[in-house]
PDB file of all heavy atoms in Angstrom:
ATOM      1  N   PHE A   1      -4.398   9.752  -1.724  1.00  0.00           N
ATOM      2  CA  PHE A   1      -4.456   9.824  -0.260  1.00  0.00           C
ATOM      3  C   PHE A   1      -3.874   8.563   0.357  1.00  0.00           C
ATOM      4  O   PHE A   1      -3.109   8.611   1.316  1.00  0.00           O
ATOM      5  CB  PHE A   1      -5.903  10.012   0.210  1.00  0.00           C
ATOM      6  CG  PHE A   1      -6.047   9.992   1.700  1.00  0.00           C
ATOM      7  CD1 PHE A   1      -5.636  11.074   2.457  1.00  0.00           C
ATOM      8  CD2 PHE A   1      -6.573   8.893   2.348  1.00  0.00           C
ATOM      9  CE1 PHE A   1      -5.752  11.060   3.833  1.00  0.00           C
ATOM     10  CE2 PHE A   1      -6.688   8.867   3.712  1.00  0.00           C
ATOM     11  CZ  PHE A   1      -6.284   9.957   4.468  1.00  0.00           C
ATOM     12  N   GLU A   2      -4.239   7.411  -0.201  1.00  0.00           N
ATOM     13  CA  GLU A   2      -3.744   6.139   0.318  1.00  0.00           C
ATOM     14  C   GLU A   2      -2.226   6.060   0.213  1.00  0.00           C
ATOM     15  O   GLU A   2      -1.547   5.663   1.167  1.00  0.00           O
ATOM     16  CB  GLU A   2      -4.377   5.002  -0.502  1.00  0.00           C
ATOM     17  CG  GLU A   2      -4.713   3.786   0.301  1.00  0.00           C
ATOM     18  CD  GLU A   2      -5.490   2.807  -0.548  1.00  0.00           C
ATOM     19  OE1 GLU A   2      -4.844   1.993  -1.238  1.00  0.00           O
ATOM     20  OE2 GLU A   2      -6.726   2.851  -0.505  1.00  0.00           O
ATOM     21  N   LYS A   3      -1.682   6.450  -0.922  1.00  0.00           N
ATOM     22  CA  LYS A   3      -0.230   6.390  -1.107  1.00  0.00           C
ATOM     23  C   LYS A   3       0.488   7.346  -0.165  1.00  0.00           C
ATOM     24  O   LYS A   3       1.538   7.017   0.383  1.00  0.00           O
ATOM     25  CB  LYS A   3       0.136   6.688  -2.561  1.00  0.00           C
ATOM     26  CG  LYS A   3      -0.199   5.541  -3.479  1.00  0.00           C
ATOM     27  CD  LYS A   3       0.246   5.790  -4.885  1.00  0.00           C
ATOM     28  CE  LYS A   3      -0.094   4.574  -5.737  1.00  0.00           C
ATOM     29  NZ  LYS A   3       0.418   4.670  -7.071  1.00  0.00           N
ATOM     30  N   THR A   4      -0.089   8.528   0.027  1.00  0.00           N
ATOM     31  CA  THR A   4       0.508   9.492   0.952  1.00  0.00           C
ATOM     32  C   THR A   4       0.497   8.950   2.372  1.00  0.00           C
ATOM     33  O   THR A   4       1.488   9.046   3.097  1.00  0.00           O
ATOM     34  CB  THR A   4      -0.251  10.829   0.891  1.00  0.00           C
ATOM     35  OG1 THR A   4      -0.237  11.286  -0.460  1.00  0.00           O
ATOM     36  CG2 THR A   4       0.378  11.862   1.791  1.00  0.00           C
ATOM     37  N   LEU A   5      -0.626   8.372   2.767  1.00  0.00           N
ATOM     38  CA  LEU A   5      -0.741   7.808   4.105  1.00  0.00           C
ATOM     39  C   LEU A   5       0.238   6.658   4.303  1.00  0.00           C
ATOM     40  O   LEU A   5       0.930   6.590   5.329  1.00  0.00           O
ATOM     41  CB  LEU A   5      -2.172   7.328   4.351  1.00  0.00           C
ATOM     42  CG  LEU A   5      -2.457   6.708   5.700  1.00  0.00           C
ATOM     43  CD1 LEU A   5      -2.272   7.739   6.802  1.00  0.00           C
ATOM     44  CD2 LEU A   5      -3.852   6.142   5.733  1.00  0.00           C
ATOM     45  N   HIS A   6       0.326   5.774   3.328  1.00  0.00           N
ATOM     46  CA  HIS A   6       1.245   4.642   3.435  1.00  0.00           C
ATOM     47  C   HIS A   6       2.692   5.108   3.474  1.00  0.00           C
ATOM     48  O   HIS A   6       3.505   4.557   4.216  1.00  0.00           O
ATOM     49  CB  HIS A   6       1.032   3.671   2.283  1.00  0.00           C
ATOM     50  CG  HIS A   6      -0.306   3.007   2.337  1.00  0.00           C
ATOM     51  ND1 HIS A   6      -0.904   2.487   1.229  1.00  0.00           N
ATOM     52  CD2 HIS A   6      -1.170   2.780   3.352  1.00  0.00           C
ATOM     53  CE1 HIS A   6      -2.070   1.973   1.552  1.00  0.00           C
ATOM     54  NE2 HIS A   6      -2.254   2.148   2.836  1.00  0.00           N
ATOM     55  N   ASN A   7       3.009   6.110   2.698  1.00  0.00           N
ATOM     56  CA  ASN A   7       4.360   6.660   2.712  1.00  0.00           C
ATOM     57  C   ASN A   7       4.675   7.246   4.082  1.00  0.00           C
ATOM     58  O   ASN A   7       5.768   7.065   4.611  1.00  0.00           O
ATOM     59  CB  ASN A   7       4.512   7.717   1.620  1.00  0.00           C
ATOM     60  CG  ASN A   7       5.926   8.194   1.471  1.00  0.00           C
ATOM     61  OD1 ASN A   7       6.866   7.503   1.845  1.00  0.00           O
ATOM     62  ND2 ASN A   7       6.080   9.373   0.927  1.00  0.00           N
ATOM     63  N   ARG A   8       3.722   7.954   4.655  1.00  0.00           N
ATOM     64  CA  ARG A   8       3.908   8.569   5.971  1.00  0.00           C
ATOM     65  C   ARG A   8       4.102   7.505   7.044  1.00  0.00           C
ATOM     66  O   ARG A   8       4.904   7.681   7.965  1.00  0.00           O
ATOM     67  CB  ARG A   8       2.692   9.441   6.297  1.00  0.00           C
ATOM     68  CG  ARG A   8       2.722  10.063   7.651  1.00  0.00           C
ATOM     69  CD  ARG A   8       3.624  11.264   7.651  1.00  0.00           C
ATOM     70  NE  ARG A   8       3.539  11.917   8.940  1.00  0.00           N
ATOM     71  CZ  ARG A   8       4.571  12.292   9.652  1.00  0.00           C
ATOM     72  NH1 ARG A   8       5.782  12.110   9.184  1.00  0.00           N
ATOM     73  NH2 ARG A   8       4.413  12.866  10.801  1.00  0.00           N
ATOM     74  N   LEU A   9       3.371   6.411   6.909  1.00  0.00           N
ATOM     75  CA  LEU A   9       3.486   5.327   7.895  1.00  0.00           C
ATOM     76  C   LEU A   9       4.693   4.436   7.643  1.00  0.00           C
ATOM     77  O   LEU A   9       5.044   3.626   8.493  1.00  0.00           O
ATOM     78  CB  LEU A   9       2.215   4.480   7.903  1.00  0.00           C
ATOM     79  CG  LEU A   9       0.960   5.175   8.402  1.00  0.00           C
ATOM     80  CD1 LEU A   9      -0.242   4.268   8.222  1.00  0.00           C
ATOM     81  CD2 LEU A   9       1.106   5.589   9.846  1.00  0.00           C
ATOM     82  N   GLY A  10       5.306   4.544   6.482  1.00  0.00           N
ATOM     83  CA  GLY A  10       6.474   3.736   6.173  1.00  0.00           C
ATOM     84  C   GLY A  10       6.131   2.346   5.655  1.00  0.00           C
ATOM     85  O   GLY A  10       6.909   1.414   5.797  1.00  0.00           O
ATOM     86  N   ILE A  11       4.969   2.204   5.075  1.00  0.00           N
ATOM     87  CA  ILE A  11       4.548   0.909   4.540  1.00  0.00           C
ATOM     88  C   ILE A  11       5.177   0.720   3.168  1.00  0.00           C
ATOM     89  O   ILE A  11       5.184   1.633   2.343  1.00  0.00           O
ATOM     90  CB  ILE A  11       3.014   0.832   4.437  1.00  0.00           C
ATOM     91  CG1 ILE A  11       2.397   0.934   5.836  1.00  0.00           C
ATOM     92  CG2 ILE A  11       2.568  -0.440   3.749  1.00  0.00           C
ATOM     93  CD1 ILE A  11       0.888   1.005   5.836  1.00  0.00           C
ATOM     94  N   ASP A  12       5.699  -0.486   2.925  1.00  0.00           N
ATOM     95  CA  ASP A  12       6.260  -0.815   1.622  1.00  0.00           C
ATOM     96  C   ASP A  12       5.113  -0.908   0.621  1.00  0.00           C
ATOM     97  O   ASP A  12       4.327  -1.851   0.638  1.00  0.00           O
ATOM     98  CB  ASP A  12       7.018  -2.137   1.702  1.00  0.00           C
ATOM     99  CG  ASP A  12       7.682  -2.509   0.400  1.00  0.00           C
ATOM    100  OD1 ASP A  12       7.751  -1.657  -0.515  1.00  0.00           O
ATOM    101  OD2 ASP A  12       8.142  -3.668   0.288  1.00  0.00           O
ATOM    102  N   GLN A  13       5.001   0.088  -0.229  1.00  0.00           N
ATOM    103  CA  GLN A  13       3.872   0.195  -1.143  1.00  0.00           C
ATOM    104  C   GLN A  13       3.830  -0.959  -2.138  1.00  0.00           C
ATOM    105  O   GLN A  13       2.774  -1.488  -2.437  1.00  0.00           O
ATOM    106  CB  GLN A  13       3.938   1.533  -1.887  1.00  0.00           C
ATOM    107  CG  GLN A  13       2.701   1.872  -2.670  1.00  0.00           C
ATOM    108  CD  GLN A  13       1.499   2.160  -1.797  1.00  0.00           C
ATOM    109  OE1 GLN A  13       1.629   2.626  -0.689  1.00  0.00           O
ATOM    110  NE2 GLN A  13       0.330   1.867  -2.308  1.00  0.00           N
ATOM    111  N   GLU A  14       4.990  -1.367  -2.642  1.00  0.00           N
ATOM    112  CA  GLU A  14       5.020  -2.453  -3.626  1.00  0.00           C
ATOM    113  C   GLU A  14       4.542  -3.762  -3.014  1.00  0.00           C
ATOM    114  O   GLU A  14       3.769  -4.500  -3.626  1.00  0.00           O
ATOM    115  CB  GLU A  14       6.419  -2.610  -4.195  1.00  0.00           C
ATOM    116  CG  GLU A  14       6.850  -1.438  -5.057  1.00  0.00           C
ATOM    117  CD  GLU A  14       8.294  -1.560  -5.509  1.00  0.00           C
ATOM    118  OE1 GLU A  14       8.934  -2.596  -5.249  1.00  0.00           O
ATOM    119  OE2 GLU A  14       8.776  -0.604  -6.139  1.00  0.00           O
ATOM    120  N   ALA A  15       5.010  -4.054  -1.795  1.00  0.00           N
ATOM    121  CA  ALA A  15       4.585  -5.288  -1.131  1.00  0.00           C
ATOM    122  C   ALA A  15       3.093  -5.249  -0.839  1.00  0.00           C
ATOM    123  O   ALA A  15       2.384  -6.255  -1.011  1.00  0.00           O
ATOM    124  CB  ALA A  15       5.367  -5.491   0.159  1.00  0.00           C
ATOM    125  N   MET A  16       2.620  -4.089  -0.434  1.00  0.00           N
ATOM    126  CA  MET A  16       1.197  -3.955  -0.123  1.00  0.00           C
ATOM    127  C   MET A  16       0.346  -4.126  -1.377  1.00  0.00           C
ATOM    128  O   MET A  16      -0.679  -4.814  -1.348  1.00  0.00           O
ATOM    129  CB  MET A  16       0.924  -2.608   0.521  1.00  0.00           C
ATOM    130  CG  MET A  16      -0.485  -2.442   0.986  1.00  0.00           C
ATOM    131  SD  MET A  16      -0.581  -1.041   2.067  1.00  0.00           S
ATOM    132  CE  MET A  16      -2.133  -1.376   2.841  1.00  0.00           C
ATOM    133  N   GLU A  17       0.763  -3.519  -2.469  1.00  0.00           N
ATOM    134  CA  GLU A  17       0.014  -3.658  -3.717  1.00  0.00           C
ATOM    135  C   GLU A  17       0.023  -5.104  -4.210  1.00  0.00           C
ATOM    136  O   GLU A  17      -0.984  -5.594  -4.726  1.00  0.00           O
ATOM    137  CB  GLU A  17       0.577  -2.723  -4.780  1.00  0.00           C
ATOM    138  CG  GLU A  17       0.256  -1.273  -4.532  1.00  0.00           C
ATOM    139  CD  GLU A  17       0.909  -0.337  -5.524  1.00  0.00           C
ATOM    140  OE1 GLU A  17       1.684  -0.803  -6.392  1.00  0.00           O
ATOM    141  OE2 GLU A  17       0.655   0.882  -5.425  1.00  0.00           O
ATOM    142  N   ALA A  18       1.147  -5.790  -4.046  1.00  0.00           N
ATOM    143  CA  ALA A  18       1.223  -7.198  -4.458  1.00  0.00           C
ATOM    144  C   ALA A  18       0.264  -8.047  -3.626  1.00  0.00           C
ATOM    145  O   ALA A  18      -0.450  -8.901  -4.171  1.00  0.00           O
ATOM    146  CB  ALA A  18       2.647  -7.716  -4.319  1.00  0.00           C
ATOM    147  N   LEU A  19       0.243  -7.801  -2.319  1.00  0.00           N
ATOM    148  CA  LEU A  19      -0.684  -8.549  -1.452  1.00  0.00           C
ATOM    149  C   LEU A  19      -2.135  -8.245  -1.799  1.00  0.00           C
ATOM    150  O   LEU A  19      -2.973  -9.161  -1.860  1.00  0.00           O
ATOM    151  CB  LEU A  19      -0.421  -8.221   0.022  1.00  0.00           C
ATOM    152  CG  LEU A  19       0.795  -8.878   0.660  1.00  0.00           C
ATOM    153  CD1 LEU A  19       1.033  -8.325   2.057  1.00  0.00           C
ATOM    154  CD2 LEU A  19       0.608 -10.389   0.728  1.00  0.00           C
ATOM    155  N   GLU A  20      -2.440  -6.985  -2.037  1.00  0.00           N
ATOM    156  CA  GLU A  20      -3.810  -6.617  -2.396  1.00  0.00           C
ATOM    157  C   GLU A  20      -4.225  -7.251  -3.711  1.00  0.00           C
ATOM    158  O   GLU A  20      -5.370  -7.686  -3.867  1.00  0.00           O
ATOM    159  CB  GLU A  20      -3.954  -5.098  -2.462  1.00  0.00           C
ATOM    160  CG  GLU A  20      -3.948  -4.439  -1.100  1.00  0.00           C
ATOM    161  CD  GLU A  20      -3.965  -2.925  -1.162  1.00  0.00           C
ATOM    162  OE1 GLU A  20      -3.689  -2.345  -2.246  1.00  0.00           O
ATOM    163  OE2 GLU A  20      -4.257  -2.315  -0.118  1.00  0.00           O
ATOM    164  N   GLN A  21      -3.296  -7.332  -4.665  1.00  0.00           N
ATOM    165  CA  GLN A  21      -3.609  -7.963  -5.948  1.00  0.00           C
ATOM    166  C   GLN A  21      -3.865  -9.456  -5.765  1.00  0.00           C
ATOM    167  O   GLN A  21      -4.798 -10.009  -6.344  1.00  0.00           O
ATOM    168  CB  GLN A  21      -2.468  -7.736  -6.954  1.00  0.00           C
ATOM    169  CG  GLN A  21      -2.742  -8.306  -8.320  1.00  0.00           C
ATOM    170  CD  GLN A  21      -3.943  -7.677  -8.988  1.00  0.00           C
ATOM    171  OE1 GLN A  21      -4.152  -6.477  -8.888  1.00  0.00           O
ATOM    172  NE2 GLN A  21      -4.740  -8.474  -9.662  1.00  0.00           N
ATOM    173  N   GLN A  22      -3.054 -10.113  -4.953  1.00  0.00           N
ATOM    174  CA  GLN A  22      -3.266 -11.535  -4.677  1.00  0.00           C
ATOM    175  C   GLN A  22      -4.599 -11.757  -3.974  1.00  0.00           C
ATOM    176  O   GLN A  22      -5.302 -12.734  -4.264  1.00  0.00           O
ATOM    177  CB  GLN A  22      -2.120 -12.092  -3.833  1.00  0.00           C
ATOM    178  CG  GLN A  22      -0.817 -12.224  -4.576  1.00  0.00           C
ATOM    179  CD  GLN A  22       0.310 -12.712  -3.685  1.00  0.00           C
ATOM    180  OE1 GLN A  22       0.162 -12.828  -2.474  1.00  0.00           O
ATOM    181  NE2 GLN A  22       1.453 -12.984  -4.291  1.00  0.00           N
ATOM    182  N   ILE A  23      -4.954 -10.856  -3.061  1.00  0.00           N
ATOM    183  CA  ILE A  23      -6.240 -10.973  -2.369  1.00  0.00           C
ATOM    184  C   ILE A  23      -7.383 -10.840  -3.363  1.00  0.00           C
ATOM    185  O   ILE A  23      -8.348 -11.621  -3.329  1.00  0.00           O
ATOM    186  CB  ILE A  23      -6.343  -9.918  -1.245  1.00  0.00           C
ATOM    187  CG1 ILE A  23      -5.423 -10.305  -0.084  1.00  0.00           C
ATOM    188  CG2 ILE A  23      -7.781  -9.769  -0.758  1.00  0.00           C
ATOM    189  CD1 ILE A  23      -5.295  -9.249   1.000  1.00  0.00           C
ATOM    190  N   GLU A  24      -7.293  -9.871  -4.270  1.00  0.00           N
ATOM    191  CA  GLU A  24      -8.337  -9.683  -5.283  1.00  0.00           C
ATOM    192  C   GLU A  24      -8.453 -10.915  -6.181  1.00  0.00           C
ATOM    193  O   GLU A  24      -9.551 -11.354  -6.497  1.00  0.00           O
ATOM    194  CB  GLU A  24      -8.045  -8.442  -6.131  1.00  0.00           C
ATOM    195  CG  GLU A  24      -8.327  -7.151  -5.428  1.00  0.00           C
ATOM    196  CD  GLU A  24      -9.795  -6.965  -5.089  1.00  0.00           C
ATOM    197  OE1 GLU A  24     -10.659  -7.312  -5.915  1.00  0.00           O
ATOM    198  OE2 GLU A  24     -10.073  -6.490  -3.973  1.00  0.00           O
TER     199      GLU A  24
END
């Protein structure tokens, strides 16, 4: 669901995952 939503919004999934990993 998250990936579908991000794709629909046009969010760069790789950049978002990298930021989330750094946050974790």
Side-chain angles (χ1 to χ4, degrees):
F1 176 74
E2 217 173 87
K3 286 184 179 186
T4 303
L5 180 64
H6 294 157
N7 187 23
R8 177 79 175 132
L9 293 174
I11 297 174
D12 183 12
Q13 191 68 30
E14 292 175 6
M16 185 166 197
E17 288 175 357
L19 283 173
E20 287 175 345
Q21 182 62 39
Q22 289 177 353
I23 288 172
E24 285 296 320

